[in-house]
Amino acid sequence: MYRGCFLEGITGHHLIITTRVYYENLYFDVLDKLCKIYDDHGEYQNIEHIAKQGIYVNAMEEISYYWFVYACMRENLLSQASTTYQEAIHRIYKDDETNASDAFRYLGIQLKSGNALLPSDMSKVMRILNKEASYHGMMYSLAAFVKIYKLVREQILRTHKKATLLLATIHVSNQLHSNPQQQLSFIMKQIEKKLLLTTRSSDAITRYSENQYLILLVSCKREDASIYKDRLIDHCKENHLLDFHYFKLQWEDTEIG
């Protein structure tokens, strides 16, 4: 049974960091599958229990909040569901509800209408969950990213809206005893996952170099981009992806328009 962060007090060791992230990702994958099984059998109190434990394990993972709120709504516990929903939006997305997944926002819409989830509503939620379209940012090749950038820039010239281009650079300490290249490869893969989760469906991401990503935030002013950067850092810290004694995430940004 998963009991929380693997060897939490130890930092800077590649094997421990990778094992820690692996076990946590496995835990939330099992949590999601188990909640679906309980849902099929109408066991909503069991969903509440394991989802609440998931929030305790990592309060930056939306999936735990989703299932907890969903279970409360199925039991018509709308006040508890609403409080937890607002807590998730504040903690994970800095009160910017538009960055949550479509499925989670759908629960929020129903809560604001004062509705519990009826069976007919569940079919709508499942259609949203099963859509192949991405709810968050998309990863593109560099060539495709350049084309998107040019299209966005042309649109900005017509509409006078703003966009922000971010360059994220990962630096690995040369003082590491283990293989720095292996460390970098691991951390880049993990950060890529978080980049996709913390951006919107209208945003674009590309791997620019061995240790850099470009992120195009559409309809986003330069000063507002700091919210995105803070959210990504929070996700990385909560998921133990960055031991800041050994890794450094550096940002450069420019406003378009």
Side-chain angles (χ1 to χ4, degrees), residues 2 4-7 13-27 186 190 239-241:
Y2 186 76
C5 182
F6 176 71
L7 297 178
H13 192 286
H14 173 68
L15 179 60
I16 292 176
I17 294 174
T18 53
T19 305
R20 183 181 296 158
V21 174
Y22 169 77
Y23 281 139
E24 185 168 299
N25 289 342
L26 182 62
Y27 168 77
F186 167 77
Q190 297 303 319
N239 287 273
H240 314 289
L241 298 182

Side-chain angles (χ1 to χ4, degrees), residues 44-45 47-48 66-77 117:
Y44 304 120
Q45 288 186 349
I47 293 177
E48 281 187 53
Y66 169 82
W67 280 113
F68 187 86
V69 172
Y70 170 80
C72 289
M73 292 177 71
R74 291 302 296 247
E75 296 180 294
N76 206 27
L77 303 174
L117 279 180

Side-chain angles (χ1 to χ4, degrees), residues 8 46 66 77 102 126 134 146 174 206 224:
E8 186 174 12
N46 285 334
Y66 169 82
L77 303 174
D102 287 359
M126 291 310 296
S134 173
V146 170
N174 292 326
T206 189
D224 296 331

